[in-house]
Amino acid sequence: KNEVEQSPQNLTAQEGEFITINCSYSVGISALHWLQQHPGGGIVSLFMLSSGKKKHGRLIATINIQEKHSSLHITASHPRDSAVYICAVHSGNTPLVFGKGTRLSVIA
Amino acid sequence: KAGVTQTPRYLIKTRGQQVTLSCSPISGHRSVSWYQQTPGQGLQFLFEYFSETQRNKGNFPGRFSGRQFSNSRSEMNVSTLELGDSALYLCASSSGALSYNEQFFGPGTRLTVL
């Protein structure tokens, strides 16, 4: 079974700062997802990637398959980015395995 | 396109009762997955249905069951509720036949067991 580790667990940043959240997994994967969960519970899928890099607005996700590691970057952070960010992986055709999440607070 | 909907959004039950939660996927999506989220365990996979067939099942007791209908709507049932079943239950739908397609999550049903 895949083990997914995220770091840091909690992160507080000043508005405008560049933020990096890391995710490591133990077994080869089919795809890795970055999810965002706001207070109240709703989850939004930010990225799904299996190689390279993806960018959407101020968010960038990268993955290194050889090192079994992915990063989520937020440029010019804003208080509305405050949320829990969750990394999740698929191995083969198996269900998602989730990390514990990173709680981000961006202070104005 | 309307998003994934879940009903009810909040539910309070007592130990020993049973509960049924409903999930309507995005139109055209044939895969529905269910997840349980608790503060202690985080997000855990319950089961996945594709075209009315259970494709995967997580490590949960038999009190947890589910089904999918021909219109892709899905229900999950928990019988003989325990205090530890208090959680946010999320469903997600995806369009493809592969488990690792992008998933679209519903708002969740928050279940409290007293």
Side-chain angles (χ1 to χ4, degrees):
Chain A
K1 184 189 167 183
N2 222 331
E3 303 288 335
V4 180
E5 298 286 337
Q6 283 187 240
S7 63
Q9 284 187 298
N10 295 283
L11 183 55
T12 300
Q14 294 291 323
E15 183 174 359
E17 284 187 4
F18 180 84
I19 289 163
T20 296
I21 299 170
N22 297 298
C23 174
S24 297
Y25 51 91
S26 57
V27 178
I29 62 169
S30 309
L32 181 143
H33 302 250
W34 280 104
L35 310 170
Q36 180 192 57
Q37 186 172 33
H38 280 283
I43 291 179
V44 174
S45 176
L46 298 174
F47 297 102
M48 184 181 78
L49 64 166
S50 54
S51 65
K53 176 180 174 178
K54 287 191 175 180
K55 183 176 189 290
H56 181 67
R58 295 180 295 106
L59 272 59
I60 303 165
T62 63
I63 189 167
N64 185 317
I65 297 296
Q66 287 73 31
E67 295 186 4
K68 297 185 176 63
H69 180 269
S70 175
S71 293
L72 176 68
H73 305 286
I74 305 175
T75 62
S77 59
H78 189 276
R80 65 175 174 265
D81 297 326
S82 298
V84 176
Y85 293 83
I86 301 167
C87 170
V89 300
H90 281 295
S91 301
N93 213 26
T94 60
L96 280 173
V97 176
F98 299 87
K100 295 289 188 188
T102 295
R103 186 174 300 274
L104 171 66
S105 296
V106 181
I107 300 168
Chain B
K1 258 185 185 177
V4 178
T5 58
Q6 291 187 245
T7 56
R9 293 292 311 279
Y10 302 91
L11 206 47
I12 299 175
K13 293 285 188 179
T14 56
R15 279 180 298 172
Q17 287 187 309
Q18 74 163 17
V19 66
T20 299
L21 311 181
S22 180
C23 172
S24 293
I26 291 172
S27 178
H29 284 192
R30 293 162 63 192
S31 171
V32 173
S33 298
W34 287 91
Y35 302 95
Q36 181 196 65
Q37 187 177 35
T38 58
Q41 297 296 320
L43 274 160
Q44 294 183 283
F45 169 77
L46 279 159
F47 18 68
E48 179 197 4
Y49 288 89
F50 179 78
S51 293
E52 301 179 68
T53 300
Q54 188 178 86
R55 184 155 65 177
N56 277 303
K57 189 177 191 304
N59 190 24
F60 278 82
R63 301 185 296 107
F64 291 80
S65 63
R67 59 178 175 168
Q68 187 180 33
F69 302 96
S70 58
N71 62 357
S72 294
R73 189 178 71 85
S74 178
E75 288 181 348
M76 67 162 281
N77 184 77
V78 188
S79 62
T80 319
L81 284 166
E82 300 177 0
L83 294 178
D85 297 333
S86 294
L88 180 67
Y89 290 88
L90 292 151
C91 83
S93 74
S94 66
S95 59
L98 299 171
S99 289
Y100 59 85
N101 288 124
E102 183 178 10
Q103 301 206 352
F104 296 84
F105 286 81
T109 295
R110 189 166 296 280
L111 171 64
T112 302
V113 182
L114 302 177

